[in-house]
Amino acid sequence: MRWRGRRGSRNIEDRRGRRMTGRTAGFGGAGLLLIVVAGAFLGVDLTPLLQGSAPQSGSPAPVTAADQEAAEFVSVALADTEDVWASVFKQQLGRRYSPAVLVLYKGVTQSPCGGASGATGPFYCPLDEKVYLDTSFFTTLSQRLGARGDFAAAYVVAHEVAHHVQNELGILGETQRIRARVSEVESNAISVRTELQADCFSGIWARYAQDALGTLEPGDVEEAMNAAKQIGDDTLQRNAGRVPQPHTFSHGTSAQRQEWFARGYQTGDVNACDTFSANSL
C-alpha cells in the first residue's frame, strides 16, 4: 500500500501517553460486560483468545518510534476512507458523508461504550461516533493472528469505519433495536449480517482506493483477504483450541468474511452489500 508522504486525516484523537483516570475494565464482571457491549461493533472478535489476558493499567505506556509510525499509517488510512466514502455517498446515495473520529490509545482508555484495552481489539462506538484503536493491535494482527501486511492493517481500519457508515445510514441503530428484542442466537445471527456488510463496505473502500486513489500495490487485496480469513469466528475459535460453535458466531466464518469483502471489491456498489436481504451468506 502506498501510504508514505500522503495526506493524513485531521479526525484523529491521540490519547497515547495519557494516564487513564477512573475505573478500568477487567475481564471478569465489568470487563465481560464491556465485551458484550462493544462486541457488536468489533471488527475483530478477540474473545476466544482472551484467556490469561488483562488490560494494562497504571502509568501510561511509552510511545515508541514504531507506535508513531503506526499512528502516521492509521492517519493516512483514515484519510483514504474519508475520500472514498465522500465520493460513494455523493455518487451512489446523493448525500454528504460525515467522517468518524478515530481515537488512538495505548494500553487502556474509556469510551461511552465502556472501557477499552488492546486485548479487546479495535471497535466502533456509535454513542460518540468514534473508532477506538490501540496501535499495538497491529502487532497482534500480524504476529498472533497471522494477518501480515500494511493493507491488512488498513482493512481493519476500513472495517471499523464501515460501521460508522452503517451508523450514518441508520442501519446500525435499527439492528441494535432488533437485537435487544430477540434471543441470543437470533441476536448473534443479526450481528453476523451486520459484520459481513461492514466487510462488504470494506471491499468497496478497497476498490475505490485502487481505482480513484491509486494506492494499492500488487498483493494488497490478497493481504486483506487473508486478514478476513484469519479473523473469521470459526478460525479464531479453532486457533483458541475450541471446536467451532456456529450458534455463537457473531462476525461470520472466514469464508463468509472473504466472500463479502470480495463482493464489495468486485462491484463497488453499496446496494450489493445488502446482507440483510440475502437468503444465504
Side-chain angles (χ1 to χ4, degrees):
M1 176 181 173
R2 301 180 183 92
W3 67 273
R4 296 185 186 278
R6 298 182 52 240
R7 180 183 79 86
S9 173
R10 295 183 178 181
N11 294 308
I12 298 284
E13 181 182 331
D14 194 348
R15 298 184 186 175
R16 296 171 304 157
R18 295 186 191 177
R19 181 186 297 274
M20 181 175 164
T21 58
R23 209 168 154 188
T24 60
F27 291 116
L32 293 177
L33 178 61
L34 156 67
I35 293 172
V36 172
V37 171
F41 314 107
L42 286 172
V44 184
D45 182 8
L46 297 182
T47 54
L49 306 178
L50 287 182
Q51 293 180 349
S53 298
Q56 304 167 22
S57 60
S59 300
V63 177
T64 66
D67 292 325
Q68 190 56 36
E69 181 174 77
E72 293 172 3
F73 170 79
V74 166
S75 178
V76 173
L78 184 64
D80 283 356
T81 67
E82 293 166 355
D83 292 342
V84 166
W85 286 110
S87 179
V88 171
F89 268 51
K90 181 178 180 180
Q91 294 175 9
Q92 297 188 28
L93 304 173
R95 54 182 292 183
R96 183 178 179 181
Y97 173 65
S98 297
V101 170
L102 190 147
V103 177
L104 282 177
Y105 69 96
K106 188 174 182 182
V108 292
T109 193
Q110 290 284 356
S111 82
C113 293
S117 79
T120 60
F123 66 92
Y124 174 70
C125 179
L127 299 180
D128 62 0
E129 300 185 349
K130 294 180 180 180
V131 173
Y132 288 79
L133 174 68
D134 185 329
T135 51
S136 66
F137 174 74
F138 293 141
T139 301
T140 301
L141 185 70
S142 175
Q143 297 182 3
R144 192 169 181 183
L145 299 180
R148 297 175 177 84
D150 51 12
F151 203 71
Y155 155 73
V156 172
V157 175
H159 180 98
E160 298 311 324
V161 171
H163 284 312
H164 177 67
V165 171
Q166 291 175 315
N167 200 39
E168 286 280 288
L169 298 177
I171 296 170
L172 205 55
E174 182 62 22
T175 60
Q176 291 310 296
R177 283 189 287 273
I178 296 173
R179 290 182 65 195
R181 301 196 301 265
V182 299
S183 69
E184 181 179 355
V185 171
E186 292 172 313
S187 176
N188 285 341
I190 296 171
S191 177
V192 167
R193 290 180 183 267
T194 304
E195 294 296 333
L196 293 180
Q197 185 180 62
D199 280 325
C200 189
F201 285 171
S202 300
I204 292 176
W205 153 80
R207 176 63 176 268
Y208 271 71
Q210 173 181 280
D211 294 350
L213 304 180
T215 60
L216 271 66
E217 297 178 308
D220 278 350
V221 173
E222 289 76 12
E223 288 180 4
M225 290 288 282
N226 177 58
K229 174 183 177 181
Q230 298 301 332
I231 59 179
D233 284 322
D234 55 337
T235 298
L236 284 173
Q237 290 186 4
R238 195 175 293 112
N239 289 344
R242 304 178 186 178
V243 176
Q245 301 180 354
H247 70 282
T248 68
F249 292 173
S250 59
H251 292 70
T253 66
S254 294
Q256 289 171 334
R257 300 198 73 162
Q258 287 183 310
E259 179 179 344
W260 282 95
F261 175 88
R263 185 174 302 195
Y265 176 74
Q266 291 163 2
T267 65
D269 184 1
V270 170
N271 293 323
C273 295
D274 186 3
T275 54
F276 300 98
S277 298
N279 293 324
S280 63
L281 298 174

